[in-house]
Amino acid sequence: MSKERVVIRDKRAQGPPAVVPPLEERLAEDLANAETRAWEALGRYKFVMFGYWAGVWVHLNRISGPKQRNPFRALVDVARAMQGFDVPASPPKGAR
């Protein structure tokens, strides 16, 4: 896949053409944005919005190619420990 930026010109649009960044770059930006918004929502006790943005992060991570480590993993481990579940020191290789 080409790393060049794509220029889109709409015949009805006036002004300079829109420049669209490559998909990989856009997904990386959106992943960072989703993570930031999730942590901000949790910090304001907006639990539903935290779940929304954490879900967006998980979805984008799935479609973005090379998987990143889930930034919410430690929070999940704390919740599981508080519920009395066994919390592995690290997830098994290949586990989702």
Side-chain angles (χ1 to χ4, degrees):
M1 183 187 287
S2 175
K3 297 281 184 184
E4 298 175 16
R5 292 185 180 270
V6 177
V7 177
I8 297 176
R9 181 176 292 279
D10 185 351
K11 293 179 182 177
R12 298 168 293 168
Q14 296 180 10
V19 177
V20 179
L23 183 60
E24 295 87 5
E25 184 179 319
R26 177 69 192 271
L27 284 171
E29 291 172 6
D30 290 347
L31 269 169
N33 183 40
E35 181 181 353
T36 299
R37 286 179 178 236
W39 288 120
E40 287 174 352
L42 185 61
R44 293 190 316 265
Y45 281 77
K46 306 293 183 185
F47 300 112
V48 172
M49 288 307 297
F50 169 78
Y52 172 80
W53 286 109
V56 167
W57 187 94
V58 168
H59 173 71
L60 290 173
N61 192 40
R62 284 184 184 157
I63 66 172
S64 68
K67 305 295 181 257
Q68 296 183 18
R69 193 171 171 90
N70 190 328
F72 312 112
R73 176 64 193 216
L75 189 60
V76 171
D77 289 344
V78 169
R80 287 180 178 169
M82 291 182 75
Q83 293 296 316
F85 296 117
D86 291 332
V87 180
S90 62
K93 195 78 168 167
R96 289 191 139 191

